[in-house]
């Protein structure tokens, strides 16, 4: 059985460093804030994958507005300002509370569905919505020592899969059964399972 002890917790100093890096890039790019909504990016900048909106102003404290599940987000993320969000109508006031009542706000337009984009444009009519995806991709492409350690650990697990194959594989085995054996072994060894990537 998969143990909660294997869940990879992103250290607080990693989150602080990532948000500071993002804020530095916002200033350079003449952006007043970004609103992050894509799950892999939320995890990268908050440590949680809960349904939420992360507001990062160019300066000041980031705010995580959680639609579901607040208790889990509070347990998983080291951010100080985590609060519930019952409706998207709360987004503009939350931006204003971070000191961004108007201006240029970045969204991940490379992955945001058009219907959601149009909804944000309507709800945030006093803002200019621009693409912040290149900034986020660039920040995420530079790995910290902690991330490199995680990559090495995952690679080591995958290296061991070949010896597992010799133990569990048999003539007539279905692909489904083999996949289940490999996934069970990886998860039991601490692998997170399906990787979420851009």
């Amino acid at each position: 059985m998969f143990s909660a002890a294997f869940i990879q917790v992103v250290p607080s100093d990693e989150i602080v460093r990532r948000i500071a890096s993002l804020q530095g890039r916002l200033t350079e790019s003449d952006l007043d804030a970004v609103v992050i909504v894509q799950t892999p990016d939320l995890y990268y900048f908050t440590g949680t994958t809960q349904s939420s909106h992360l507001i990062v102003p160019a300066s000041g404290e980031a705010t995580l507005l959680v639609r579901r599940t607040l208790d889990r987000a509070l347990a998983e993320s080291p951010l100080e300002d985590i609060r519930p969000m019952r409706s998207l109508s709360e987004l503009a006031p939350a931006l204003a509370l971070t000191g961004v009542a108007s201006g240029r706000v970045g969204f991940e337009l490379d992955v945001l569905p058009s219907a959601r984009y149009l909804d944000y444009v309507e709800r945030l009519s006093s803002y200019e919505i621009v693409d912040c995806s290149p900034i986020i991709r660039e920040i995420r492409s530079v790995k910290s020592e902690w991330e490199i350690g995680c990559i090495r650990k995952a690679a080591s697990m995958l290296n061991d899969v070949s010896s597992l194959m010799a133990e569990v594989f048999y003539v007539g085995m279905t692909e489904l059964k083999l996949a289940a054996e490999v996934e069970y072994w990886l998860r039991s060894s601490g692998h997170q399972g399906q990787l979420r990537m851009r």
Side-chain angles (χ1 to χ4, degrees), residues 164-165 168-169 173-183:
L164 170 73
M165 297 284 282
V168 301
F169 187 71
M173 182 180 217
T174 66
E175 289 180 22
L176 180 62
K177 174 71 173 159
L178 179 60
E181 290 284 347
V182 170
E183 183 171 357

Side-chain angles (χ1 to χ4, degrees), residues 9-22:
V9 175
V10 181
S12 178
D13 60 333
E14 275 289 309
I15 299 294
V16 169
R17 180 191 60 77
R18 293 169 180 181
I19 288 177
S21 178
L22 178 57

Side-chain angles (χ1 to χ4, degrees), residues 66-138:
V66 183
R67 303 211 49 184
R68 293 185 310 266
T69 301
L70 181 63
D71 289 341
R72 187 165 172 184
L74 288 166
E76 293 174 340
S77 178
L79 293 179
E80 294 291 323
D81 189 4
I82 301 174
R83 57 181 88 158
M85 182 170 92
R86 289 166 288 285
S87 164
L88 275 178
S89 62
E90 298 173 34
L91 185 56
L95 271 163
L97 283 175
T98 67
V100 183
S102 63
R104 291 167 43 89
V105 176
F107 278 80
E108 305 137 301
L109 298 186
D110 65 335
V111 292
L112 193 65
S114 58
R116 286 188 74 186
Y117 166 75
L118 294 172
D119 190 27
Y120 289 126
V121 167
E122 185 177 329
R123 291 175 185 277
L124 302 174
S125 58
S126 61
Y127 299 89
E128 178 188 356
I129 294 180
V130 298
D131 188 16
C132 66
S133 303
I135 295 170
I136 290 174
R137 286 195 309 266
E138 187 175 319

Side-chain angles (χ1 to χ4, degrees), residues 33-89:
V34 295
V35 177
I36 296 174
V37 297
Q38 190 209 26
T39 302
D41 290 338
L42 282 169
Y43 178 71
Y44 183 84
F45 287 105
T46 69
T48 187
T49 59
Q50 299 312 294
S51 175
S52 53
H53 288 67
L54 174 65
I55 299 172
V56 181
S59 63
E61 191 175 1
T63 300
L64 184 63
L65 304 171
V66 183
R67 303 211 49 184
R68 293 185 310 266
T69 301
L70 181 63
D71 289 341
R72 187 165 172 184
L74 288 166
E76 293 174 340
S77 178
L79 293 179
E80 294 291 323
D81 189 4
I82 301 174
R83 57 181 88 158
M85 182 170 92
R86 289 166 288 285
S87 164
L88 275 178
S89 62

